[in-house]
Amino acid sequence: YGLDFYGARTVPGFVGNASGLVFSRPLAGRYVFQFTSNCDAAVCPNTANAQLTSDSLEITVTAGVPHRLEFAQSLPTRYDSNVTFPTFDIRAYDVAGNLIPSSHMNVTASVTPSVHALVGASSRLQDGSATFDSFKLIGKRGVAYDLTFTIGAATLRHGVNLFPCSQIKPHSATTDD
């Protein structure tokens, strides 16, 4: 009895089938699993513990690293020159689709081709999203720009076209004489 009580056995203490517990991209949260076991008297005639005490396993899953970014609201794609964007949010998700909570990381914007200035191009991730409230692109009219927002390995692209002068001020277009 003493050896069995302390878990030191000369023969296996388990005979039967078992399979592992596998999570495939679980959502963030707290999971509690309850385990019980019994052994029918016909199968285990000499056991003192035909019914074992139940046990539980608690697993807490937290959001992982940023894997995917998305805009919380749609942004226009065509602007006049010196674009001041309306306030917008970018949400960050891990590979399982969990919203990333507050982080020490920033979502940062870059643009190609290069512009005269890109203002407010970085925002801290808080409560799952980064808020850009003073984002401004100062570029040339008639040029298509590609904005790329990045946090870790996750990226999000958005195209922006600045109206050419001829569309903003039609009278400024050259005429044939």
Side-chain angles (χ1 to χ4, degrees):
Y1 177 77
L3 290 177
D4 190 30
F5 180 79
Y6 290 106
R9 297 185 179 146
T10 57
V11 295
F14 173 80
V15 177
N17 296 323
S19 60
L21 181 63
V22 177
F23 285 95
S24 178
R25 297 184 178 176
L27 294 178
R30 181 177 163 255
Y31 298 87
V32 179
F33 298 92
Q34 190 73 30
F35 298 95
T36 59
S37 177
N38 62 27
C39 187
D40 187 56
V43 177
C44 303
N46 298 325
T47 186
N49 298 316
Q51 188 127 12
L52 299 176
T53 306
S54 65
D55 201 355
S56 63
L57 171 67
E58 180 177 325
I59 298 173
T60 301
V61 176
T62 58
V65 297
H67 176 74
R68 177 176 52 91
L69 297 175
E70 67 181 38
F71 289 107
Q73 62 275 22
S74 61
L75 290 177
T77 58
R78 296 182 58 90
Y79 293 92
D80 192 351
S81 65
N82 300 336
V83 180
T84 299
F85 285 74
T87 297
F88 64 94
D89 295 310
I90 294 179
R91 294 188 183 129
Y93 298 90
D94 70 3
V95 70
N98 294 304
L99 194 62
I100 307 288
S102 298
S103 170
H104 64 279
M105 299 171 72
N106 286 355
V107 175
T108 304
S110 61
V111 64
T112 54
S114 60
V115 293
H116 298 299
L118 189 60
V119 180
S122 185
S123 178
R124 174 113 5 191
L125 188 65
Q126 295 179 346
D127 298 325
S129 68
T131 301
F132 289 84
D133 55 4
S134 61
F135 189 72
K136 187 172 188 172
L137 183 150
I138 302 172
K140 294 180 181 177
R141 291 181 187 265
V143 175
Y145 293 100
D146 184 33
L147 294 172
T148 303
F149 296 90
T150 307
I151 184 170
T155 60
L156 175 64
R157 288 190 165 72
H158 181 71
V160 174
N161 290 309
L162 299 185
F163 289 123
C165 256
S166 59
Q167 282 186 305
I168 303 301
K169 300 177 184 178
H171 64 281
S172 67
T174 58
T175 58
D176 292 332
D177 290 315

